[in-house]
Amino acid sequence: MIAFPSGAAHDPTSPAPCPRLLLVEDHPATRTVLQQVLRAAGYAVETASDAVEGEAHIQAGPPDLVLLDYTLPPDSGVVVCQRVRARLGALYPPIIMLTVRGAEIQRQLALAAGADDCLPKPFHPQQLRERVDAWLRVGARLRGASRHLRSVEEQAAQARLEGAMAVIRAVRHRLNNDLTLPSLVLDYLLENADLSAELRGMVTEASAAILSAAQYIDALQQVRRVATSETPLGPALDLAQSTGAASLSA
């Protein structure tokens, strides 16, 4: 089906010094030959002989690229591809499906399942290396874009936090000023006025309410960031937990 490479080395401009590939192929001879071809090209190659073993490798740590045979026991490569895409989400290793030449339906189903490319058998080692190199570059760009997006999200979250803290400080200053006079008046009445038991109870409750409000305002300064999948910009402001525990830090 294929021939060994004639000593061609891996392109030094590839995205990693030794990219890690996963080859999922059930045919022992084909798996061995492809593994040697890829290792000779400078890749670190892990192999799996069926769908279960392949998915276990991916769950243990996503490789830089997956070469996935279309026909696998006990599930097809299409099913494996669908599950990998569903589970990994943003951890996106490129997937090249190895299909049968002339089987257009295999190509269509593979791409629909989430494969990035299809390489029909038989193929020349140079074709394999070119496809692998190309998709490794794409994968590196995707990871770079993901890191950049995360950085932007972090900056946006920090800006929101700083903006919220500025508002909280201004509100705290105003409310503390507004609460000072009624608090002093109530304390004076409790200490000096001849109040009935009922009225004294009401004044005591009002004084306690003002103290509680002041403590709540102080606790707002402990607002912090939490990660949530429900906010498109990543870490969100957590007001509820912050006001419920004065020990949290900003």
PDB file of all heavy atoms in Angstrom, residues 126-147:
ATOM      1  N   GLN A 126       4.651  10.628   1.323  1.00  0.00           N
ATOM      2  CA  GLN A 126       4.761  12.076   1.212  1.00  0.00           C
ATOM      3  C   GLN A 126       3.416  12.760   1.373  1.00  0.00           C
ATOM      4  O   GLN A 126       3.308  13.819   1.995  1.00  0.00           O
ATOM      5  CB  GLN A 126       5.386  12.457  -0.141  1.00  0.00           C
ATOM      6  CG  GLN A 126       5.643  13.957  -0.317  1.00  0.00           C
ATOM      7  CD  GLN A 126       6.625  14.497   0.715  1.00  0.00           C
ATOM      8  OE1 GLN A 126       7.495  13.775   1.207  1.00  0.00           O
ATOM      9  NE2 GLN A 126       6.472  15.765   1.050  1.00  0.00           N
ATOM     10  N   GLN A 127       2.361  12.133   0.831  1.00  0.00           N
ATOM     11  CA  GLN A 127       1.017  12.686   1.007  1.00  0.00           C
ATOM     12  C   GLN A 127       0.637  12.712   2.485  1.00  0.00           C
ATOM     13  O   GLN A 127       0.078  13.702   2.980  1.00  0.00           O
ATOM     14  CB  GLN A 127       0.000  11.837   0.244  1.00  0.00           C
ATOM     15  CG  GLN A 127       0.061  11.950  -1.261  1.00  0.00           C
ATOM     16  CD  GLN A 127      -0.975  11.031  -1.901  1.00  0.00           C
ATOM     17  OE1 GLN A 127      -0.877   9.804  -1.856  1.00  0.00           O
ATOM     18  NE2 GLN A 127      -1.983  11.648  -2.495  1.00  0.00           N
ATOM     19  N   LEU A 128       0.955  11.628   3.168  1.00  0.00           N
ATOM     20  CA  LEU A 128       0.642  11.548   4.595  1.00  0.00           C
ATOM     21  C   LEU A 128       1.377  12.635   5.365  1.00  0.00           C
ATOM     22  O   LEU A 128       0.779  13.345   6.184  1.00  0.00           O
ATOM     23  CB  LEU A 128       1.020  10.167   5.127  1.00  0.00           C
ATOM     24  CG  LEU A 128       0.792   9.928   6.621  1.00  0.00           C
ATOM     25  CD1 LEU A 128      -0.669  10.049   6.988  1.00  0.00           C
ATOM     26  CD2 LEU A 128       1.355   8.557   7.030  1.00  0.00           C
ATOM     27  N   ARG A 129       2.677  12.787   5.102  1.00  0.00           N
ATOM     28  CA  ARG A 129       3.457  13.792   5.823  1.00  0.00           C
ATOM     29  C   ARG A 129       2.946  15.197   5.532  1.00  0.00           C
ATOM     30  O   ARG A 129       2.871  16.037   6.431  1.00  0.00           O
ATOM     31  CB  ARG A 129       4.940  13.669   5.452  1.00  0.00           C
ATOM     32  CG  ARG A 129       5.610  12.399   5.975  1.00  0.00           C
ATOM     33  CD  ARG A 129       7.125  12.516   5.878  1.00  0.00           C
ATOM     34  NE  ARG A 129       7.568  12.656   4.486  1.00  0.00           N
ATOM     35  CZ  ARG A 129       7.842  11.642   3.687  1.00  0.00           C
ATOM     36  NH1 ARG A 129       7.705  10.398   4.122  1.00  0.00           N
ATOM     37  NH2 ARG A 129       8.253  11.841   2.448  1.00  0.00           N
ATOM     38  N   GLU A 130       2.595  15.458   4.281  1.00  0.00           N
ATOM     39  CA  GLU A 130       2.089  16.792   3.932  1.00  0.00           C
ATOM     40  C   GLU A 130       0.785  17.105   4.655  1.00  0.00           C
ATOM     41  O   GLU A 130       0.595  18.211   5.166  1.00  0.00           O
ATOM     42  CB  GLU A 130       1.889  16.884   2.417  1.00  0.00           C
ATOM     43  CG  GLU A 130       3.198  16.923   1.634  1.00  0.00           C
ATOM     44  CD  GLU A 130       2.973  16.827   0.138  1.00  0.00           C
ATOM     45  OE1 GLU A 130       1.804  16.610  -0.276  1.00  0.00           O
ATOM     46  OE2 GLU A 130       3.954  16.954  -0.623  1.00  0.00           O
ATOM     47  N   ARG A 131      -0.114  16.128   4.683  1.00  0.00           N
ATOM     48  CA  ARG A 131      -1.389  16.363   5.378  1.00  0.00           C
ATOM     49  C   ARG A 131      -1.171  16.557   6.876  1.00  0.00           C
ATOM     50  O   ARG A 131      -1.758  17.461   7.486  1.00  0.00           O
ATOM     51  CB  ARG A 131      -2.339  15.178   5.157  1.00  0.00           C
ATOM     52  CG  ARG A 131      -2.735  14.924   3.723  1.00  0.00           C
ATOM     53  CD  ARG A 131      -3.698  15.968   3.185  1.00  0.00           C
ATOM     54  NE  ARG A 131      -4.125  15.610   1.847  1.00  0.00           N
ATOM     55  CZ  ARG A 131      -5.212  14.913   1.554  1.00  0.00           C
ATOM     56  NH1 ARG A 131      -6.011  14.505   2.523  1.00  0.00           N
ATOM     57  NH2 ARG A 131      -5.521  14.619   0.301  1.00  0.00           N
ATOM     58  N   VAL A 132      -0.327  15.712   7.458  1.00  0.00           N
ATOM     59  CA  VAL A 132      -0.067  15.820   8.892  1.00  0.00           C
ATOM     60  C   VAL A 132       0.572  17.164   9.223  1.00  0.00           C
ATOM     61  O   VAL A 132       0.163  17.857  10.162  1.00  0.00           O
ATOM     62  CB  VAL A 132       0.822  14.656   9.369  1.00  0.00           C
ATOM     63  CG1 VAL A 132       1.343  14.916  10.788  1.00  0.00           C
ATOM     64  CG2 VAL A 132       0.042  13.347   9.323  1.00  0.00           C
ATOM     65  N   ASP A 133       1.579  17.559   8.452  1.00  0.00           N
ATOM     66  CA  ASP A 133       2.228  18.857   8.687  1.00  0.00           C
ATOM     67  C   ASP A 133       1.233  20.002   8.594  1.00  0.00           C
ATOM     68  O   ASP A 133       1.224  20.921   9.430  1.00  0.00           O
ATOM     69  CB  ASP A 133       3.354  19.076   7.675  1.00  0.00           C
ATOM     70  CG  ASP A 133       4.662  18.431   8.097  1.00  0.00           C
ATOM     71  OD1 ASP A 133       4.829  18.192   9.304  1.00  0.00           O
ATOM     72  OD2 ASP A 133       5.506  18.178   7.226  1.00  0.00           O
ATOM     73  N   ALA A 134       0.400  19.970   7.563  1.00  0.00           N
ATOM     74  CA  ALA A 134      -0.561  21.053   7.347  1.00  0.00           C
ATOM     75  C   ALA A 134      -1.535  21.167   8.521  1.00  0.00           C
ATOM     76  O   ALA A 134      -1.788  22.265   9.042  1.00  0.00           O
ATOM     77  CB  ALA A 134      -1.326  20.822   6.047  1.00  0.00           C
ATOM     78  N   TRP A 135      -2.057  20.025   8.974  1.00  0.00           N
ATOM     79  CA  TRP A 135      -3.044  20.082  10.053  1.00  0.00           C
ATOM     80  C   TRP A 135      -2.414  20.331  11.411  1.00  0.00           C
ATOM     81  O   TRP A 135      -3.061  20.891  12.307  1.00  0.00           O
ATOM     82  CB  TRP A 135      -3.887  18.815  10.058  1.00  0.00           C
ATOM     83  CG  TRP A 135      -4.932  18.867   8.980  1.00  0.00           C
ATOM     84  CD1 TRP A 135      -4.962  18.158   7.813  1.00  0.00           C
ATOM     85  CD2 TRP A 135      -6.056  19.731   8.957  1.00  0.00           C
ATOM     86  NE1 TRP A 135      -6.047  18.527   7.059  1.00  0.00           N
ATOM     87  CE2 TRP A 135      -6.753  19.494   7.738  1.00  0.00           C
ATOM     88  CE3 TRP A 135      -6.570  20.684   9.828  1.00  0.00           C
ATOM     89  CZ2 TRP A 135      -7.917  20.160   7.386  1.00  0.00           C
ATOM     90  CZ3 TRP A 135      -7.733  21.366   9.483  1.00  0.00           C
ATOM     91  CH2 TRP A 135      -8.394  21.102   8.286  1.00  0.00           C
ATOM     92  N   LEU A 136      -1.146  19.986  11.577  1.00  0.00           N
ATOM     93  CA  LEU A 136      -0.459  20.372  12.806  1.00  0.00           C
ATOM     94  C   LEU A 136      -0.303  21.887  12.881  1.00  0.00           C
ATOM     95  O   LEU A 136      -0.434  22.489  13.951  1.00  0.00           O
ATOM     96  CB  LEU A 136       0.908  19.698  12.890  1.00  0.00           C
ATOM     97  CG  LEU A 136       0.908  18.218  13.296  1.00  0.00           C
ATOM     98  CD1 LEU A 136       2.301  17.631  13.157  1.00  0.00           C
ATOM     99  CD2 LEU A 136       0.393  18.040  14.725  1.00  0.00           C
ATOM    100  N   ARG A 137      -0.019  22.502  11.731  1.00  0.00           N
ATOM    101  CA  ARG A 137       0.065  23.972  11.714  1.00  0.00           C
ATOM    102  C   ARG A 137      -1.286  24.593  12.048  1.00  0.00           C
ATOM    103  O   ARG A 137      -1.365  25.573  12.798  1.00  0.00           O
ATOM    104  CB  ARG A 137       0.564  24.452  10.346  1.00  0.00           C
ATOM    105  CG  ARG A 137       2.027  24.160  10.084  1.00  0.00           C
ATOM    106  CD  ARG A 137       2.547  24.944   8.879  1.00  0.00           C
ATOM    107  NE  ARG A 137       1.883  24.537   7.643  1.00  0.00           N
ATOM    108  CZ  ARG A 137       2.314  23.574   6.842  1.00  0.00           C
ATOM    109  NH1 ARG A 137       3.411  22.880   7.162  1.00  0.00           N
ATOM    110  NH2 ARG A 137       1.681  23.278   5.727  1.00  0.00           N
ATOM    111  N   VAL A 138      -2.349  24.028  11.480  1.00  0.00           N
ATOM    112  CA  VAL A 138      -3.695  24.533  11.788  1.00  0.00           C
ATOM    113  C   VAL A 138      -3.994  24.377  13.282  1.00  0.00           C
ATOM    114  O   VAL A 138      -4.511  25.294  13.933  1.00  0.00           O
ATOM    115  CB  VAL A 138      -4.757  23.797  10.954  1.00  0.00           C
ATOM    116  CG1 VAL A 138      -6.160  24.158  11.429  1.00  0.00           C
ATOM    117  CG2 VAL A 138      -4.602  24.134   9.480  1.00  0.00           C
ATOM    118  N   GLY A 139      -3.650  23.200  13.832  1.00  0.00           N
ATOM    119  CA  GLY A 139      -3.883  22.974  15.251  1.00  0.00           C
ATOM    120  C   GLY A 139      -3.124  23.954  16.124  1.00  0.00           C
ATOM    121  O   GLY A 139      -3.646  24.447  17.127  1.00  0.00           O
ATOM    122  N   ALA A 140      -1.872  24.254  15.729  1.00  0.00           N
ATOM    123  CA  ALA A 140      -1.075  25.217  16.496  1.00  0.00           C
ATOM    124  C   ALA A 140      -1.714  26.598  16.446  1.00  0.00           C
ATOM    125  O   ALA A 140      -1.748  27.324  17.449  1.00  0.00           O
ATOM    126  CB  ALA A 140       0.351  25.264  15.950  1.00  0.00           C
ATOM    127  N   ARG A 141      -2.232  26.969  15.269  1.00  0.00           N
ATOM    128  CA  ARG A 141      -2.902  28.277  15.162  1.00  0.00           C
ATOM    129  C   ARG A 141      -4.165  28.322  16.023  1.00  0.00           C
ATOM    130  O   ARG A 141      -4.463  29.336  16.653  1.00  0.00           O
ATOM    131  CB  ARG A 141      -3.240  28.564  13.704  1.00  0.00           C
ATOM    132  CG  ARG A 141      -2.024  28.782  12.813  1.00  0.00           C
ATOM    133  CD  ARG A 141      -2.424  29.306  11.447  1.00  0.00           C
ATOM    134  NE  ARG A 141      -1.308  29.348  10.535  1.00  0.00           N
ATOM    135  CZ  ARG A 141      -1.095  28.472   9.560  1.00  0.00           C
ATOM    136  NH1 ARG A 141      -1.951  27.476   9.382  1.00  0.00           N
ATOM    137  NH2 ARG A 141      -0.050  28.572   8.764  1.00  0.00           N
ATOM    138  N   LEU A 142      -4.911  27.221  16.023  1.00  0.00           N
ATOM    139  CA  LEU A 142      -6.123  27.170  16.845  1.00  0.00           C
ATOM    140  C   LEU A 142      -5.787  27.310  18.328  1.00  0.00           C
ATOM    141  O   LEU A 142      -6.468  28.032  19.063  1.00  0.00           O
ATOM    142  CB  LEU A 142      -6.870  25.865  16.599  1.00  0.00           C
ATOM    143  CG  LEU A 142      -7.628  25.745  15.278  1.00  0.00           C
ATOM    144  CD1 LEU A 142      -8.190  24.337  15.124  1.00  0.00           C
ATOM    145  CD2 LEU A 142      -8.761  26.767  15.209  1.00  0.00           C
ATOM    146  N   ARG A 143      -4.727  26.621  18.764  1.00  0.00           N
ATOM    147  CA  ARG A 143      -4.339  26.740  20.165  1.00  0.00           C
ATOM    148  C   ARG A 143      -3.868  28.151  20.489  1.00  0.00           C
ATOM    149  O   ARG A 143      -4.152  28.682  21.564  1.00  0.00           O
ATOM    150  CB  ARG A 143      -3.246  25.715  20.494  1.00  0.00           C
ATOM    151  CG  ARG A 143      -3.747  24.272  20.510  1.00  0.00           C
ATOM    152  CD  ARG A 143      -2.694  23.324  21.056  1.00  0.00           C
ATOM    153  NE  ARG A 143      -1.526  23.238  20.191  1.00  0.00           N
ATOM    154  CZ  ARG A 143      -1.423  22.398  19.171  1.00  0.00           C
ATOM    155  NH1 ARG A 143      -2.425  21.590  18.876  1.00  0.00           N
ATOM    156  NH2 ARG A 143      -0.321  22.360  18.438  1.00  0.00           N
ATOM    157  N   GLY A 144      -3.141  28.763  19.545  1.00  0.00           N
ATOM    158  CA  GLY A 144      -2.720  30.145  19.754  1.00  0.00           C
ATOM    159  C   GLY A 144      -3.907  31.088  19.835  1.00  0.00           C
ATOM    160  O   GLY A 144      -3.947  31.987  20.681  1.00  0.00           O
ATOM    161  N   ALA A 145      -4.896  30.882  18.952  1.00  0.00           N
ATOM    162  CA  ALA A 145      -6.095  31.719  18.977  1.00  0.00           C
ATOM    163  C   ALA A 145      -6.867  31.513  20.276  1.00  0.00           C
ATOM    164  O   ALA A 145      -7.403  32.469  20.846  1.00  0.00           O
ATOM    165  CB  ALA A 145      -6.983  31.394  17.774  1.00  0.00           C
ATOM    166  N   SER A 146      -6.910  30.270  20.757  1.00  0.00           N
ATOM    167  CA  SER A 146      -7.601  29.988  22.011  1.00  0.00           C
ATOM    168  C   SER A 146      -6.921  30.682  23.184  1.00  0.00           C
ATOM    169  O   SER A 146      -7.579  31.247  24.061  1.00  0.00           O
ATOM    170  CB  SER A 146      -7.646  28.474  22.245  1.00  0.00           C
ATOM    171  OG  SER A 146      -8.273  28.171  23.467  1.00  0.00           O
ATOM    172  N   ARG A 147      -5.571  30.653  23.196  1.00  0.00           N
ATOM    173  CA  ARG A 147      -4.851  31.342  24.273  1.00  0.00           C
ATOM    174  C   ARG A 147      -5.091  32.848  24.206  1.00  0.00           C
ATOM    175  O   ARG A 147      -5.263  33.511  25.237  1.00  0.00           O
ATOM    176  CB  ARG A 147      -3.351  31.037  24.171  1.00  0.00           C
ATOM    177  CG  ARG A 147      -2.981  29.619  24.570  1.00  0.00           C
ATOM    178  CD  ARG A 147      -1.472  29.475  24.738  1.00  0.00           C
ATOM    179  NE  ARG A 147      -0.779  29.673  23.471  1.00  0.00           N
ATOM    180  CZ  ARG A 147      -0.480  28.690  22.624  1.00  0.00           C
ATOM    181  NH1 ARG A 147      -0.833  27.441  22.895  1.00  0.00           N
ATOM    182  NH2 ARG A 147       0.172  28.939  21.507  1.00  0.00           N
TER     183      ARG A 147
END
